[in-house]
Amino acid sequence: MARLRVVGVRHHSPACARLVRAVIAEERPAAVLIEGPSDMTPRLAELALPHQLPVAIYSYCLPAHDGDPDAVAGSGVVAQAGWSPFCAYSPEWVALHDGAAIGARVAFIDLPGWHPAFATMANRYGDRDHQVGAALRDAAHRHGFDSTDALWDHLFEQPGDDATLGARLGAYFAALRGEQVASEADRAREDFMADGIAWALAEADAGGGGAVVVVCGGFHQAALERLVAGRPPPPAPPRVEPPPPALARTGSYLVPFSFFRLDSFTGYASGMPSPAFYQALWDDPAGAPETMAMAAVTRLRGRGQRVSTADAIAAVELSHGLARLRGHAAPTRCDVLDGLAAALIKDALRTPVPWSARTVLARGTDPYLVEIVAAFSGDRAGALAPGTPQPPLVADLAAELAAVGLAFTQTPTPIRIDIFAPDAAARRRVLYRLRWLGVPGVQRVQRADLRRGRTQPVEVWQLVEDDRTAGAIIECAVWGATLAAAALARVYRHLQELTGVAELAAAMEDALHAGYGAVVDQLRERAADAIAREPLFAAAGAALARLAALHVADPARGLAGLLGQVLDRALWLLEGLTGPTAALDAAVVDGVVAIRAALEFELPDHALVAERVDAALHRRVEAADAPPAVRGAALGALWSRADADGAVAVAARADALVPALPLAALGDFLGGVIALARHEFATSPILGAVDARLRDAGDGEFLIALPQLRRAFAQFTPQERRGIARALVGDRDAGTVLAATAEPAAVAAGVAFEAALVAVAARVGAVGVAP
C-alpha cells in the first residue's frame, strides 16, 4: 500500500533543502509532488536544462481585450502576474532534480500562477505566512531574537541532528498554522493539491505501492495531511482549464532571476533574506560565516572604504564570540552581520540595524550597513540555458532591433538619432515601443529640440543590458506576441489610468513617436474634454508645451484646434491665481515655463498667440493680488522673450518692483524671475536694487526673508554665483563671501542671538556694545 510523506518546508531554506534531499534518498518514492504551478508539469524538461540559477516561472493572465474597458469589465478576468523563483538551495528545486534522478514521477500539484487564487500574490514562494504569525513573533521576542528570521536560523539553520529536523519543523509549522485562518485562496489551493495527492496515491497503489513524497510550504503541511486522509481519488490528475482565449491571455514561461530580486531588503516578497549568505551556507556550511564576512569586507574596500586586516579579523572573531554567547554551534546570519557592524562601524547608528526586522532599507541607514547588506544579498544573476522555449515576443524584438541597427550594450553607449534622417522614424518607433513596455535599461537621455531658432534635431538614447533585461522582455509577452502588438496593448492599458490633460498630452506625444498615430486621433476628443475640466494651471501649461511639440513634429495631425483650447484654458487659469502672500509653488512656475516653451515652437497664428500670451503676462506682473512667484515668473518670461528695447523696459519694471514688494515676498518673486530669466537677471543692474533692499532691511525682517532668498539664488550654478558676488562686492571680497562654510541656518541663528544679546546689554546700560 502506498504511503504518504508530506515534507513541510520554508521556501529558500538550505536546512529544508537538506531535509528534502534526505527524505527522497531514504524513501526512494514512486512520486515526488511539489507545490508549484501544475500547468508546468508537462514542461518539466525545460526546468531540467542547464540553467544558471536563480530562475523563475513567470505566469500571467491578461484580459484579451485589454484596450477596451467595457470588454474587460464584462469578461470578469483580472489582470495578474506572478513568479515562482528557484535557486540552488530551494527545497522545490532539490525535489525536482533529486526526484527525477531516482526515476520518480515528478509533478507540480498547485494551481497555475494565472489562477485567481494568486491575484494578490506576486511570489508563490513568498514568506507572508511566516512573517505575520503573532505567536512566532512573540516566541522570537520572548527568546531574545529581534525577528522571526533570527529565530528560524537559531532553530534550524545550524549544524546538528538532521534525523530530528523533520519532527522539529513539523512542530514549528503546526504552531505557525495553528493560530491562522486560511484564506479562501489558500483553501482553494489546498483542495486542488489534495486531489493531486489522492490521485498519486491511487496510482502508486495500482503500481504495487511505494511512497509518495509531497514537498509544500509548511503552512499547508497539516492541512494537506488532514484533507488527503480518506479522500477518494479523482478519475484523472486534477487540471484547471485556463479562461477561453476570447476572454483572456494566459501563459507561463521560464525567466532569468537574480539574488537582488530574491532579497527581502529590496522590497520583493522573498522566502528568506540575504540570498548570498544562504547560498554560501548551502555550498559550504562550515566556511560560510568567514566567506560572507570577507565578502562584506571586500565590497567595502571596493567602494573605497578603509577596512584594515585587524578590523576584518575582529569582525570574524566577534561573529564566533556572539555565536557562542547565543548558544549556536556555528555563526548564523545575524551573528556574522552583528560582528561586522560591531567591528567596522565606529559611530553611533541613527537607525536600527536592517536585519532586526524584515523590511526594505530605511532612509538614513549607515552607508557601511548598506554595503554589508548588499554583500549578503549578492549580485548573482540567473541565465536561461540555450534552447529554453521563449514567447514569440523575444524573437520578434531581436529581429526588430537588428532591422534598424540597434542592440543592447553592457555599458552606457549613446545612440544618436537625427530625427530628420531617412531611417529615423523606424529606429524611433522601436525605441519608443520599448519605452512603452518599460524594459529596464531603455532610456531617452536627450529629447530633440524643435523650438524656433534653437533647432537641435538629435535624440540621444541608451540601451543598457543588465540582469533584469532578459527576464523583463519575456515578462512583456503578457502584452502581445510582437513588439508592435505588445507596446500598443501597453499604451491602451496606460490610457485607462489617465484623466489629466498633461498626462494625456504626454501619452499622445509618445504614442505618435511609437508609430501609433491612430491613438493620437482617438485621444483628441478625450483631451479636449479633459482640458475643459482641468482645474490646475500647472497641468494645463505642461499640456500646452507637449502639444506644441507634437504639432511641430506632425503638423498634418490636425492638433491646431486642441492647441488653441489648451492655450485658452492655461491663460484663464493663470489669471485666476491669487494670493499676495502665497509661497512659491514650483509646479505653477513650471507652468509659466511651459507656456514660454510653447511659444518657442512655430504655432498656428503665431503672432496673434504670442500677443495674447504677452498681454496676459503683463497683467500678471502688475496684479498686486497675484502670488509673488507668479508675478516674478511672468516678468521673467517677458524678459527672456523680449528684444533689446523690450528687455530694457522689463528690467526697469523689475528694478521698480524690488523696493516696492514686502521683503518677505521678495525671495519668492525673485525665484519666479530667476526660473525664467536667469541670465538676464544675473547680468542686469537689478542686482544693485536687490542688494540695496536687503541692506536697508532690519535683522528680523531679513531673517524672515532668508529661506525664500536662499531658494531663489540656489537656481544659479556655482560659476554664476561667483559672477554675482563679484558684481556686488568686487573681485577681492567675492572669494571670501563664497568661501564661507557655515550653514546659513546657523548664521541666521547666530545673528538672532547677537541681536538678542545686544538688546539685553542695552537694557542694562552696558557700554561699548555696538548694535
Side-chain angles (χ1 to χ4, degrees):
M1 181 176 179
R3 62 186 182 279
L4 173 65
R5 183 150 180 195
V6 181
V7 183
V9 300
R10 186 179 180 192
H11 307 298
H12 312 309
S13 160
C16 291
R18 288 199 319 270
L19 175 64
V20 168
R21 174 157 289 171
V23 168
I24 291 176
E26 174 192 343
E27 296 283 357
R28 302 197 64 82
V32 175
L33 309 181
I34 304 163
E35 178 190 327
S38 56
D39 61 322
M40 285 295 292
T41 293
R43 297 164 55 191
L44 286 181
E46 295 177 29
L47 285 161
L49 294 173
H51 306 295
Q52 177 179 307
L53 299 178
V55 298
I57 299 170
Y58 174 71
S59 301
Y60 63 84
C61 177
L62 195 71
H65 302 285
D66 196 57
D68 183 346
D70 293 332
V72 170
S75 71
V77 175
V78 178
Q80 64 186 70
W83 293 263
S84 304
F86 303 96
C87 51
Y89 55 87
S90 298
E92 298 81 6
W93 185 260
V94 171
L96 280 169
H97 286 265
D98 286 20
I102 64 168
R105 187 181 73 83
V106 179
F108 285 130
I109 57 168
D110 199 358
L111 292 169
W114 41 257
H115 189 275
F118 292 95
T120 61
M121 191 182 305
N123 181 359
R124 177 190 299 270
Y125 299 142
D127 212 18
R128 176 185 59 84
D129 298 316
H130 184 82
Q131 296 301 317
V132 301
L136 286 180
R137 288 199 306 272
D138 291 344
H141 295 157
R142 190 166 59 249
H143 289 86
F145 297 100
D146 291 327
S147 66
T148 53
D149 288 325
L151 175 64
W152 174 270
D153 285 350
H154 173 76
L155 294 175
F156 303 115
E157 301 295 343
Q158 287 280 296
D161 183 9
D162 283 354
T164 65
L165 181 59
R168 289 186 285 120
L169 284 169
Y172 179 90
F173 291 132
L176 172 66
R177 179 64 179 257
E179 64 173 76
Q180 298 188 49
V181 177
S183 67
E184 183 177 342
D186 282 328
R187 290 195 297 272
R189 294 175 60 199
E190 289 168 354
D191 194 59
F192 184 80
M193 287 192 278
D195 274 346
I197 297 168
W199 185 86
L201 286 169
E203 285 290 295
D205 273 340
V212 172
V213 170
V214 177
V215 177
C216 65
F219 182 80
H220 305 295
Q221 178 180 359
L224 290 179
E225 290 171 338
R226 173 178 51 81
L227 288 170
V228 171
R231 191 183 193 95
R239 183 174 184 272
V240 176
E241 294 294 335
L247 294 181
R249 301 192 300 271
T250 61
S252 295
Y253 286 97
L254 281 177
V255 297
F257 223 61
S258 67
F259 276 0
F260 178 82
R261 296 183 73 182
L262 276 171
D263 193 351
S264 64
F265 287 123
T266 68
Y268 188 74
S270 75
M272 293 177 77
S274 304
F277 176 85
Y278 291 106
Q279 181 68 55
L281 194 64
W282 175 250
D283 293 338
D284 179 14
E290 285 76 12
T291 297
M292 292 311 301
M294 293 313 300
V297 169
T298 301
R299 184 180 180 91
L300 285 166
R301 288 171 175 169
R303 296 296 188 273
Q305 302 302 313
R306 297 184 64 182
V307 181
S308 68
T309 301
D311 283 342
I313 294 172
V316 173
E317 290 301 316
L318 277 168
S319 299
H320 283 277
L322 288 169
R324 289 191 295 271
L325 183 65
R326 294 165 176 171
H328 296 156
T332 65
R333 180 183 71 105
C334 288
D335 293 336
V336 181
L337 287 168
D338 286 341
L340 286 163
L344 305 183
I345 299 175
K346 312 302 183 184
D347 300 322
L349 296 176
R350 297 182 179 180
T351 60
V353 291
W355 48 91
S356 64
R358 176 68 73 88
T359 181
V360 296
L361 291 179
R363 186 175 183 178
T365 299
D366 185 281
Y368 265 56
L369 292 181
V370 173
E371 296 303 330
I372 290 169
V373 167
F376 274 58
S377 176
D379 55 8
R380 182 173 299 190
L384 298 181
T388 304
Q390 296 181 334
L393 174 64
V394 177
D396 182 76
L397 173 56
E400 290 269 16
L401 287 169
V404 296
L406 296 173
F408 281 89
T409 58
Q410 297 297 317
T411 56
T413 304
I415 300 169
R416 302 182 182 277
I417 300 178
D418 184 336
I419 65 173
F420 296 130
D423 63 346
R427 302 185 88 199
R428 295 176 81 203
R429 273 198 302 272
V430 172
L431 290 166
Y432 275 94
R433 287 172 180 178
L434 286 170
R435 190 167 183 251
W436 271 111
L437 289 175
V439 175
V442 178
Q443 182 182 7
R444 185 182 64 191
V445 180
Q446 176 183 297
R447 294 169 56 95
D449 189 347
L450 301 181
R451 292 177 291 176
R452 304 167 74 219
R454 305 188 189 186
T455 302
Q456 192 281 107
V458 175
E459 277 186 347
V460 181
W461 292 76
Q462 289 178 354
L463 294 176
V464 182
E465 185 173 15
D466 61 21
D467 62 330
R468 302 167 296 165
T469 306
I473 292 171
I474 296 173
E475 291 164 16
C476 286
V478 66
W479 300 105
T482 65
L483 178 61
L488 182 59
R490 188 68 189 88
V491 169
Y492 279 121
R493 163 56 70 85
H494 181 66
L495 295 180
Q496 293 177 26
E497 303 163 359
L498 300 184
T499 55
V501 67
E503 294 86 355
L504 284 168
M508 291 169 72
E509 184 182 11
D510 284 354
L512 179 68
H513 297 326
Y516 304 128
V519 173
V520 177
D521 298 335
Q522 295 167 19
L523 289 179
R524 189 183 297 112
E525 183 176 344
R526 185 172 163 188
D529 291 340
I531 191 59
R533 298 189 303 271
E534 182 57 61
L536 299 177
F537 163 71
L544 180 63
R546 288 278 194 176
L547 291 172
L550 189 59
H551 172 75
V552 172
D554 189 359
R557 189 56 58 185
L559 296 175
L562 179 60
L563 203 54
Q565 289 177 265
V566 176
L567 177 64
D568 290 343
R569 184 69 174 181
L571 294 180
W572 182 78
L573 290 169
L574 175 63
E575 300 216 47
L577 297 173
T578 59
T581 61
L584 184 148
D585 184 336
V588 169
V589 173
D590 288 344
V592 180
V593 172
I595 288 179
R596 183 189 63 181
L599 292 178
E600 293 173 344
F601 294 99
E602 190 63 50
L603 302 177
D605 300 322
H606 190 89
L608 291 176
V609 169
E611 184 178 343
R612 286 184 58 207
V613 172
D614 286 349
L617 294 174
H618 276 292
R619 289 193 294 273
R620 289 284 78 192
V621 172
E622 302 303 329
D625 65 339
V630 171
R631 298 180 72 183
L635 187 141
L638 291 167
W639 201 350
S640 62
R641 285 177 24 79
D643 57 21
D645 292 338
V648 171
V650 175
R653 185 65 188 120
D655 201 55
L657 280 172
V658 167
L661 288 168
L663 190 61
L666 181 61
D668 287 340
F669 173 78
L670 295 178
V673 174
I674 295 168
L676 283 102
R678 190 169 72 187
H679 173 73
E680 290 80 3
F681 176 86
T683 56
S684 77
I686 191 177
L687 282 171
V690 174
D691 186 46
R693 181 75 176 85
L694 296 177
R695 289 179 184 275
D696 292 341
D699 288 345
E701 193 180 15
F702 175 77
L703 290 175
I704 292 172
L706 181 60
Q708 288 76 21
L709 289 166
R710 283 187 62 209
R711 179 177 181 178
F713 282 86
Q715 299 177 77
F716 289 112
T717 65
Q719 184 175 356
E720 289 169 331
R721 287 197 289 272
R722 281 194 294 271
I724 293 171
R726 284 194 293 269
L728 292 175
V729 300
D731 290 340
R732 187 185 66 179
D733 295 328
T736 303
V737 171
L738 293 171
T741 57
E743 285 291 328
V747 174
V751 171
F753 176 76
E754 288 179 2
L757 191 62
V758 168
V760 171
R763 284 202 302 271
V764 300
V767 295
V769 177

